[in-house]
Amino acid sequence: KAGVTQTPRYLIKTRGQQVTLSCSPISGHRSVSWYQQTPGQGLQFLFEYFSETQRNKGNFPGRFSGRQFSNSRSEMNVSTLELGDSALYLCASSTNTEAFFGQGTRLTVV
Amino acid sequence: DAKTTQPPSMDCAEGRAANLPCNHSTISGNEYVYWYRQIHSQGPQYIIHGLKNNETNEMASLIITEDRKSSTLILPHATLRDTAVYYCISKPWGGNTGTASKLTFGTGTRLQVTL
């Protein structure tokens, strides 16, 4: 059974640009959530999708958005990138019991 | 979700048991205790969870005090590969149509297993 797949693994963008990250959950999982990890703030919840609907949202500005498709794959988008958006972005798909994380996308904003 | 408190770091000799404590004194009756770990540069990995009874699986044991205000994760025979940051999280059950996501991570305990 394939795990959670995130693409790309690494990304370098310039301030002001926008970026789209992709997450393919484990087959059969309908819930996908996103997290941002930085050295200063640690692991922070961004948002969660279940059956194409956003169920929860963390305390992030509107520049951060996401969506989920009918096949449960999810994308998150960050517009007008800032240097502080440099982070490891993690996606997780989950059952009722446990969340399975991907390896993350490391975004560097220069 | 209730706040949890963990020591910032611990050391353990390889082959010995690693006992990682967690304080969750404000935990609600419907909140479970979850443990995840994150090995450097990888995504967090689920370890175990429990409500009030002690739990054991192939990775670890979870001991929850009777008043549920604290718990201990036990790795019975720590190896070098257990070196990681361990997170204790309390959150409500996801429900039949809910999920185990929306995890609130604290700063965790950095466990260093040494020879």
Side-chain angles (χ1 to χ4, degrees):
Chain A
K1 198 173 187 180
V4 178
T5 304
Q6 291 188 246
T7 56
R9 289 293 310 278
Y10 302 92
L11 204 50
I12 300 175
K13 288 287 189 178
T14 305
R15 273 180 300 176
Q17 285 187 312
Q18 73 163 15
V19 66
T20 299
L21 311 182
S22 179
C23 173
S24 293
I26 292 172
S27 177
H29 288 188
R30 291 190 291 166
S31 169
V32 173
S33 53
W34 289 88
Y35 295 80
Q36 181 196 65
Q37 187 170 30
T38 60
Q41 298 297 318
L43 267 161
Q44 292 187 288
F45 171 78
L46 277 158
F47 26 66
E48 173 194 359
Y49 288 88
F50 183 84
S51 294
E52 302 179 65
T53 302
Q54 187 179 87
R55 288 163 56 100
N56 286 294
K57 190 176 192 305
N59 188 25
F60 280 82
R63 300 184 297 107
F64 292 80
S65 62
R67 59 178 176 170
Q68 187 180 33
F69 302 96
S70 58
N71 62 356
S72 294
R73 191 177 69 85
S74 177
E75 290 181 346
M76 68 162 283
N77 185 77
V78 188
S79 62
T80 319
L81 283 166
E82 300 176 0
L83 294 179
D85 297 333
S86 295
L88 179 67
Y89 289 88
L90 290 158
C91 164
S93 73
S94 64
T95 65
N96 290 346
T97 307
E98 48 191 286
F100 299 85
F101 285 80
Q103 293 301 301
T105 294
R106 185 161 296 281
L107 171 65
T108 301
V109 182
V110 297
Chain B
D1 299 346
K3 182 177 170 56
T4 62
T5 305
Q6 300 176 252
S9 64
M10 294 183 64
D11 291 331
C12 179
E14 190 176 35
R16 305 296 293 268
N19 298 296
L20 292 92
C22 178
N23 182 289
H24 33 80
S25 59
T26 61
I27 194 169
S28 300
N30 68 338
E31 288 184 324
Y32 285 68
V33 178
Y34 286 80
W35 283 84
Y36 282 78
R37 72 179 182 184
Q38 185 174 27
I39 296 170
H40 184 61
S41 296
Q42 297 182 21
Q45 177 189 22
Y46 166 84
I47 301 173
I48 199 168
H49 77 285
L51 182 62
K52 54 183 178 181
N53 297 322
N54 298 337
E55 302 287 345
T56 296
N57 63 19
E58 64 278 3
M59 288 184 67
S61 294
L62 174 61
I63 308 298
I64 302 174
T65 58
E66 193 169 340
D67 62 8
R68 302 208 327 121
K69 293 186 177 181
S70 65
S71 61
T72 301
L73 178 75
I74 301 172
L75 308 178
H77 306 285
T79 71
L80 297 177
R81 285 183 290 184
D82 292 322
T83 293
V85 177
Y86 287 76
Y87 296 99
C88 169
I89 300 164
S90 61
K91 72 179 296 296
W93 174 250
N96 290 331
T97 58
T99 71
S101 55
K102 193 181 183 294
L103 300 166
T104 302
F105 289 87
T107 53
T109 296
R110 185 172 300 276
L111 175 68
Q112 180 68 52
V113 181
T114 57
L115 290 172

